[in-house]
Amino acid sequence: MLDATHAPTLKSWVPSANQPGTDFPIQNLPLGRFRRAGSTEPLRVGVAIGDEILDLQQALAAGGWSAEAQAWLAPMAAGDLNAFMAQGPAARKGLRAALSAALREGSAQQAALAPCLVAQSAAEMALPCQIGDYTDFYTGIHHATTVGKLFRPDNPLLPNYKWVPIGYHGRVSSIGVSGQQFRRPKGQFKAPDAAVPEYGPCQRLDYELELGVFVGAGNALGEPMDMERAEADWFGLCLLNDWSARDVQAWEYQPLGPFLAKNFATTISPWIVTQEALAPFRVPFAHPADDPQPLPYLDSPANRRQGGVAVQLQVQIQTAQMRAAGQGFATLSSSDFRDAYWTVAQMLAHHSANGCNLQPGDLLGSGTQSGPQPEQGGSLLELSQGGKQPLTLPGGETRRFLQDGDAIALVGRCDAAGAVGIGFGPCVGTVLPAV
Amino acid sequence: MLDATHAPTLKSWVPSANQPGTDFPIQNLPLGRFRRAGSTEPLRVGVAIGDEILDLQQALAAGGWSAEAQAWLAPMAAGDLNAFMAQGPAARKGLRAALSAALREGSAQQAALAPCLVAQSAAEMALPCQIGDYTDFYTGIHHATTVGKLFRPDNPLLPNYKWVPIGYHGRVSSIGVSGQQFRRPKGQFKAPDAAVPEYGPCQRLDYELELGVFVGAGNALGEPMDMERAEADWFGLCLLNDWSARDVQAWEYQPLGPFLAKNFATTISPWIVTQEALAPFRVPFAHPADDPQPLPYLDSPANRRQGGVAVQLQVQIQTAQMRAAGQGFATLSSSDFRDAYWTVAQMLAHHSANGCNLQPGDLLGSGTQSGPQPEQGGSLLELSQGGKQPLTLPGGETRRFLQDGDAIALVGRCDAAGAVGIGFGPCVGTVLPAV
């Protein structure tokens, strides 16, 4: 549903928000948590606008808000984004309208709010909210097919794939925000020709290009969300790097799934791009109507019409050698979230279909978003064909898997005719040597 | 390490704690959270003693504690058991000694503490702490073998089983305490001869008999716990029922493991029986030294000598018909945690071996604890041979899987020569009809 907050002519009184190509024009207004760099102050909730952050604690104190907006801002002024998420879709839409009015050119609140801006360069970002549970889905059919081919050349997709939005529970404690640095994991793995396994530093360390979905108000235990409610409830998206130890995964994952191969680190971007900001970029979902027809609890007219979200995605790398030589990040691959086989609403509806209670701020990973072409793999496992074909990087280095010092950046952008494009901000993580 | 708190001659001034067969003699002293029944007061941390609970907020205020004990009690008086867990093993041992001295016959604190007792019958128990992440292991080798035989008669145990303490992440939001009632989950499943799957109420609902392990201080991201630290760190045990939807599990679990088959409900007992209370019941671990020798990161002399814990376990059932007829619970099976293939310390050491950070109050499930005999299966899947052989219950009813109205109770007791036996308290959950 497009409204005045999406108007392409809308400008902000924050000059950097009007720069072409900024991730954070006034049409975006993503939410995150930060503190002033170097301080130990409690986390503050803020809205990204251009190169700045509007501090919502100060903004509430600055006045000029309606009574409704004050109620929406109150939990955020206390640093609690989850409590705002719990207020549901009406609050999310209402606050967006209020923030859009406050930050647009000519706003009566400009003078009061200008002192509430903090430069993003002077802020340290944190996880945007408390994450209670983290679930990782597997909606990237091109990823599932390519990886399946490595193990089962004749039968890459398992029979349940087109019926069940496959997912599994992940680890919350090791989720970090862009800038995360983590030690190369150690683990247990077994070479195909070895008699026994060994324990040592992972030899096949990889990234996975994903989006993260934040749950809004959620559902009570025993009360599944139908598709309509699931579509309304999801709060917004971020970028998500599901770092993976392929050698550990291959040895441990039977019969209960990935565990230590995944739970040593997960990196997300700091800003939640809300469902409303993504409205201009909705597309029909990729699942063809008869391939097969989804079961009724996973189907709705709105989902068929515009269940998908077109987010252009990239993975970029900067090795230690590139960094030392002053080189920036180089692109490894590109894909688009519009190609996901299952939509965000289907993830929520399926997750709660057994009565499982989703809670405000819970995080769902989309699974690796690879494109249909071989060069569009969302992981090195795919791009190097299981480690058999090394990639050559600018500067001549090669990679089958990640080496110590490698930094991986995920990039997400939405652009559409007649809309102002928006972005997701940084999602960078760096591999440190094993202890 | 046995000390004065384990002396079999030790008696409490709380008379019910000296009754033979009580779960909570003064040698136990488990910790939990409660509120007065029917109230909405904040949760209080308490210690079970006989039929009573010592309210630690009131107990701290009653005075008579050393300065050290006051520091240990302070977070608990604020209702925060996690903060006490974070203080590590020395605090856990020290508080046990202080509570044992305070509650024993002849204690100078008796008069001050007597008014701080709350009858367990007048308390509503809650989860004993905030659980950040929940992981379910698979340490029951007899369960793994029996279930494996149902799918792979010639090769029941997968090649990694005796090398890797297999585990996977579970769902925190749906963990409830004894007394939990939950709706029969709906889900997607496919009959072997059906062309397409369907969505409806689970037809093969089951329980799993497990123990839960609470993490103590845990470890920082990137810093694995070695076996010595893992052994010292684990805080205590509870009973855990890992309710399972077998038909959903069979259809969804490839390739990423169980998900909706497990996350609709998990029931635990309300009291954490500490590692120190379990000291008289430690046994050599069940993994034969050469079958195979564990990798060094999973091995230690102390673990070989007494890594196991002998806990006698039972599963009991009370159907709606039994309840209506005034019949109590009937035993379905018995087993012992001493038969687990992996020890508690090995679970923590493995979980953190890749740098994954465990946090105070994290919960680890042991996996289903079945005994070596067919009648010792810790789930109906095992006892009914995959649903083929119905069980006959007292009163003549039969069960292949659970029916609406069935209540399942897990029971745990520790007994050993020369020690006063201890118990775990109730772990009861009831199946309500699907919506």
Side-chain angles (χ1 to χ4, degrees), chain B residues 309-321:
Chain B
V309 189
V311 183
Q312 304 154 49
L313 298 167
Q314 282 194 358
V315 185
Q316 304 176 341
I317 190 170
Q318 185 191 51
T319 68
Q321 181 181 309

Side-chain angles (χ1 to χ4, degrees), chain B residues 34-389:
Chain B
F34 71 102
R35 58 168 59 94
R36 283 159 178 75
S39 80
T40 56
E41 64 182 7
L43 290 174
R44 298 161 178 267
V45 178
V47 177
I49 180 79
D51 298 338
E52 311 281 333
I53 302 171
L54 179 68
D55 177 334
L56 293 184
Q57 185 183 50
Q58 293 195 1
L60 176 60
W65 305 97
S66 71
E68 263 188 319
Q70 289 177 48
W72 297 323
L73 288 168
M76 305 226 267
D80 187 353
L81 188 47
N82 298 70
F84 175 70
M85 292 166 143
Q87 296 183 34
R92 201 177 65 225
K93 292 174 206 290
L95 182 69
R96 174 180 171 84
L99 289 171
S100 178
L103 289 167
R104 72 184 53 170
E105 278 183 349
S107 163
Q109 292 174 268
Q110 176 175 351
L113 293 181
C116 308
L117 294 178
V118 178
Q120 287 173 31
S121 58
E124 281 172 16
M125 301 305 299
L127 293 177
C129 62
Q130 287 269 108
I131 300 169
D133 277 293
Y134 163 49
T135 299
D136 199 16
F137 280 88
Y138 197 52
T139 71
I141 190 169
H142 303 298
H143 170 74
T145 304
T146 305
V147 173
K149 269 183 193 156
L150 294 173
F151 297 99
R152 300 172 301 275
D154 298 332
N155 183 27
L157 268 192
L158 290 167
N160 58 11
Y161 188 85
K162 291 187 174 181
W163 295 99
V164 180
I166 295 288
Y168 67 106
H169 292 293
R171 181 84 191 172
V172 173
S173 69
S174 54
I175 300 174
V177 76
S178 183
Q180 186 175 30
Q181 303 193 333
F182 62 90
R183 294 196 178 282
R184 174 181 296 273
K186 291 183 179 175
Q188 198 181 129
F189 43 84
K190 191 173 98 57
D193 54 348
V196 301
E198 59 182 307
Y199 171 72
C202 167
Q203 307 288 306
R204 292 163 68 96
L205 183 62
D206 203 354
Y207 58 81
E208 290 193 337
L209 168 61
E210 303 196 15
L211 283 160
V213 179
F214 284 95
V215 171
N219 62 299
L221 193 64
E223 297 179 10
M225 277 193 238
D226 63 19
M227 280 293 288
E228 188 180 356
R229 194 163 143 215
E231 175 62 41
D233 190 66
W234 65 272
F235 191 88
L237 303 183
C238 67
L239 301 167
L240 186 152
N241 188 340
D242 177 27
W243 304 96
S244 298
R246 301 297 179 192
D247 40 6
V248 175
Q249 188 173 350
W251 175 232
E252 77 171 1
Y253 91 108
Q254 292 283 16
L256 299 180
F259 178 44
L260 299 194
K262 300 281 195 171
N263 66 9
F264 53 91
T266 302
T267 307
I268 66 173
S269 56
W271 296 105
I272 307 179
V273 177
T274 64
Q275 182 179 157
E276 283 66 39
L278 296 163
F281 313 104
R282 302 301 294 268
V283 290
F285 87 131
H287 185 146
D290 58 347
D291 179 34
Q293 170 73 25
L295 290 176
Y297 80 99
L298 294 173
D299 195 18
S300 80
N303 192 62
R304 274 173 257 151
R305 196 169 58 244
Q306 55 168 20
V309 189
V311 183
Q312 304 154 49
L313 298 167
Q314 282 194 358
V315 185
Q316 304 176 341
I317 190 170
Q318 185 191 51
T319 68
Q321 181 181 309
M322 291 165 69
R323 198 154 47 244
Q327 286 179 278
F329 282 80
T331 300
L332 288 170
S333 71
S334 304
S335 62
D336 198 304
F337 187 43
R338 69 188 302 155
D339 291 326
Y341 192 79
W342 298 102
T343 66
V344 173
Q346 285 170 324
M347 288 188 233
L348 271 75
H350 183 67
H351 201 322
S352 67
N354 66 344
C356 178
N357 53 330
L358 305 184
Q359 300 186 314
D362 282 351
L363 180 63
L364 316 180
S366 66
T368 307
Q369 299 300 311
S370 302
Q373 303 305 320
E375 69 274 17
Q376 291 186 293
S379 66
L380 284 175
L381 184 72
E382 292 159 87
L383 295 176
S384 72
Q385 298 174 42
K388 290 194 286 286
Q389 290 294 334

Side-chain angles (χ1 to χ4, degrees), chain A residues 372-384:
Chain A
Q373 302 305 319
E375 68 275 16
Q376 292 186 292
S379 66
L380 283 176
L381 184 72
E382 292 159 87
L383 295 175
S384 71

